[in-house]
């Protein structure tokens, strides 16, 4: 179990990269490049067959990385990523079964569920979870949605993900209920495939330097 709280995990960097590992041999070097650039919180998705092994390797070999799992959609996967060493798990949505699994495993892994509606948000609160992902952020209203949710749910904090760019990120970061943003732009497929780690580190440094819009 991570000693960090979910909010501390998300606040460790301005951006949480959403990472799909296509070649397991790139996982550790990719993680090193991101951490070197000032992006320590890494969401390794289960979208490819290498997700669990990538979590294991990065957790074991990359000092300073805060390793989590993404695209966790059921209790079985939640247990698998916890066993692999993930410190947190992020889901694209939330339902009662996943909420119950998260509550059962609260002592071994942090759950940061994705929500798109006030109802899902209230389900999370009922199960003691107040740090969430808004997904897919741009599709469900983006900044306007977050501003609307802040009224009745001022104590809830978010990592909006989905359609966010380096250009739009500062406007999200300026909102009082946003801790960070999630995005895929830090790990371009061509750069990873070509093992262009300097480019990855450069993108990470730029992301780490993002400031809230004034």
């Amino acid at each position: 179990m991570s000693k960090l709280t979910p909010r501390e995990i998300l606040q460790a960097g301005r951006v949480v990269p959403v990472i799909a590992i296509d070649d397991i041999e790139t996982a550790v070097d990719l993680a090193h490049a991101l951490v070197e650039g000032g992006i320590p919180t890494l969401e390794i998705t289960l979208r490819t067959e290498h997700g669990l092994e990538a979590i294991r390797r990065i957790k074991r070999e990359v000092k300073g990385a805060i390793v989590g799992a993404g695209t966790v959609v059921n209790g079985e996967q939640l247990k698998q990523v916890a066993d692999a060493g993930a410190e947190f798990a992020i889901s694209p949505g939330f339902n009662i079964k996943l909420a119950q699994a998260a509550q059962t495993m609260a002592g071994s892994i942090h759950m940061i569920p994705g929500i798109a509606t006030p109802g899902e948000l209230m389900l999370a609160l009922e199960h003691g979870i107040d740090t969430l992902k808004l997904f897919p952020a741009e599709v469900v209203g983006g900044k306007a949605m977050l501003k609307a949710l802040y009224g009745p749910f001022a104590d809830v904090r978010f990592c909006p993900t989905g359609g966010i760019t380096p250009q739009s990120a500062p406007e999200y970061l300026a909102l009082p209920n946003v801790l960070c943003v999630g995005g895929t732009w830090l790990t371009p497929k061509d750069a990873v495939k070509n093992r262009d780690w300097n480019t990855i580190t450069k993108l990470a440094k730029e992301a780490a330097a993002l400031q809230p819009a004034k």
Side-chain angles (χ1 to χ4, degrees):
M1 180 70 169
S2 174
K3 294 180 180 178
L4 299 174
T5 67
R7 294 189 180 187
E8 289 170 338
I9 287 169
L10 294 180
Q11 286 180 305
R14 294 288 192 187
V15 181
V16 175
V18 180
I19 305 167
I21 300 294
D22 294 312
D23 177 357
I24 189 61
E25 299 307 326
T26 65
V28 168
D29 288 339
L30 173 59
H32 275 302
L34 289 165
V35 172
E36 184 180 336
I39 298 295
T41 302
L42 311 177
E43 178 187 339
I44 311 300
T45 73
L46 301 186
R47 297 177 190 177
T48 73
E49 62 182 315
H50 304 300
L52 288 173
E53 180 59 22
I55 290 168
R56 292 188 195 98
R57 293 190 187 189
I58 295 169
K59 179 71 174 177
R60 186 172 63 238
E61 300 180 38
V62 184
K63 185 177 180 181
I66 304 169
V67 188
T71 325
V72 174
V73 299
N74 56 50
E76 181 181 353
Q77 287 183 332
L78 185 61
K79 185 177 187 310
Q80 287 174 341
V81 299
D83 290 344
E87 298 177 56
F88 64 95
I90 294 180
S91 63
F94 208 42
N95 58 33
I96 188 65
K97 285 189 176 181
L98 188 53
Q100 290 168 343
Q103 197 167 45
T104 299
M105 297 194 62
S108 56
I109 189 169
H110 293 303
M111 184 79 217
I112 301 173
I115 67 102
T117 67
E120 289 176 303
L121 188 160
M122 291 167 66
L123 175 63
L125 289 176
E126 285 180 14
H127 288 81
I129 301 171
D130 63 2
T131 304
L132 310 169
K133 174 169 88 165
L134 180 70
F135 180 82
E138 286 287 291
V139 174
V140 300
K143 298 180 291 292
M145 177 66 147
L146 289 160
K147 290 175 182 177
L149 291 173
Y150 186 65
F153 305 108
D155 293 334
V156 176
R157 294 294 177 268
F158 292 93
C159 172
T161 305
I164 297 172
T165 66
Q167 292 72 37
S168 63
E171 294 181 3
Y172 277 95
L173 293 170
L175 299 176
N177 52 349
V178 170
L179 300 173
C180 64
V181 299
T184 58
W185 77 85
L186 276 68
T187 56
K189 284 188 177 294
D190 284 349
V192 176
K193 183 178 180 180
N194 295 326
R195 291 170 165 74
D196 183 1
W197 307 128
N198 288 334
T199 290
I200 300 293
T201 296
K202 178 175 179 291
L203 290 169
K205 286 180 178 179
E206 291 171 356
L210 285 171
Q211 296 296 319
K214 294 182 180 178

